[in-house]
């Protein structure tokens, strides 16, 4: 997951609508079923999906009243904490 990408997507959600990101996730998930995709291509799609889900999570925290910077930092701490385990 890339914090700058999540931050950008979070701003996109705030300016537009979360539904755009959710529909994009669905589209990317459908693309993963294409049998001719290479592993590298699947990795890129997976990274995009992860970043989009991350932005949705951060957006939920912001909606619940957490300041944007704090929401981003808390999310990344949670992600890094789960990787260390």
């Amino acid at each position: 997951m890339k914090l700058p990408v999540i931050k950008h997507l979070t701003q996109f959600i705030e300016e537009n609508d979360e539904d755009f990101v959710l529909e994009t996730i669905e589209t990317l998930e459908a693309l993963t079923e294409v049998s001719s995709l290479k592993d590298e291509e699947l990795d890129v799609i997976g990274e995009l999906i992860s970043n989009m889900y991350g932005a949705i999570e951060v957006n939920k925290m912001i909606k619940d009243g957490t300041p944007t910077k704090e929401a981003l930092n808390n999310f990344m701490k949670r992600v890094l904490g789960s990787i260390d385990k």
Side-chain angles (χ1 to χ4, degrees), residues 16-59:
N16 297 282
D17 191 354
E18 187 175 284
D19 289 340
F20 287 114
V21 176
L22 290 171
E23 290 170 4
T24 302
I25 290 169
E26 289 177 24
T27 303
L28 290 171
E29 287 175 343
L31 281 174
T32 62
E33 298 171 12
V34 175
S35 61
S36 62
L37 287 176
K38 298 175 186 169
D39 287 343
E40 299 85 24
E41 294 166 327
L42 288 171
D43 289 345
V44 170
I45 292 171
E47 182 71 19
L48 289 169
I49 292 170
S50 295
N51 286 321
M52 289 180 187
Y53 275 125
I56 289 170
E57 287 296 316
V58 170
N59 187 57

Side-chain angles (χ1 to χ4, degrees), residues 56-67 71:
I56 289 170
E57 287 296 316
V58 170
N59 187 57
K60 285 179 187 174
M61 287 187 256
I62 293 169
K63 282 183 179 177
D64 290 341
T66 306

